[in-house]
Amino acid sequence: MIDLARWDRMLEEAGIRTTRHRLLVLDVLACHRQPISAQQIHAELHERGARIGLTTVYRALTSMAAAGLVHTFTRTEETVYRLCGPAKHHHLICRVCGLVIERVEEDVMAGFRAEEVYGTCAACASPEITP
Ligand SMILES: [Zn+2]
Ligand SMILES: [Zn+2]
């Protein structure tokens, strides 16, 4: 079920070596639209029966984040990770639920180029509407 060829190409384009651990971590990240923590990834891999240590998950995440393949966010003192699209973008981040939206258009406000914009997503702004 792992789309090996696709992840292989992604890692190659990011300029880092393909390892089984990186592939496993990428595959979990690809299942989530919201950023998730290393612990969560570790737990999911264990559920799938993959034998991989938390330190290894961290190492895979760190190298992929350094290569720009995975983006990191800070949520209540923990770092969470997200596999973003290849287009250059900045992030709209919901303070309430942590939803991340990639915004490709450039936002320049009073000479500032936006990198991360915090706010409230549509679902959190009107909770009576089903998310
Ligand atoms: Zn991103
Ligand atoms: Zn939200």
Side-chain angles (χ1 to χ4, degrees):
M1 65 172 275
I2 297 183
D3 191 351
L4 278 174
R6 184 174 162 214
W7 302 147
D8 221 20
R9 203 165 50 239
M10 260 187 154
L11 287 163
E12 198 189 306
E13 278 165 13
I16 55 174
R17 208 160 47 86
T18 301
T19 65
R20 196 180 68 89
H21 294 141
R22 285 176 185 156
L23 293 174
L24 287 171
V25 170
L26 272 180
D27 199 54
V28 173
L29 282 170
C31 298
H32 294 265
R33 294 204 57 227
Q34 303 219 17
I36 53 171
S37 68
Q39 282 91 339
Q40 247 174 298
I41 295 168
H42 182 244
E44 273 193 38
L45 285 170
H46 268 249
E47 265 170 42
R48 295 185 191 185
R51 292 180 185 281
I52 175 170
L54 183 57
T55 317
T56 312
V57 172
Y58 267 116
R59 239 183 267 136
L61 285 167
T62 308
S63 57
M64 293 193 291
L69 190 57
V70 169
H71 287 165
T72 60
F73 303 86
T74 308
R75 186 195 294 161
T76 55
E77 289 175 27
E78 78 173 346
T79 303
V80 287
Y81 304 83
R82 184 176 189 273
L83 180 63
C84 287
K88 191 178 184 306
H89 59 272
H90 63 271
H91 303 117
L92 306 182
I93 305 165
C94 176
R95 276 186 207 283
V96 183
C97 69
L99 176 77
V100 172
I101 294 169
E102 291 172 38
R103 200 175 141 81
V104 177
E105 301 93 278
E106 213 171 359
D107 278 346
V108 183
M109 294 165 275
F112 274 78
R113 227 165 279 279
E115 286 167 4
E116 292 188 352
V117 178
Y118 287 87
T120 314
C121 77
C124 291
S126 11
E128 69 276 6
I129 299 166
T130 40

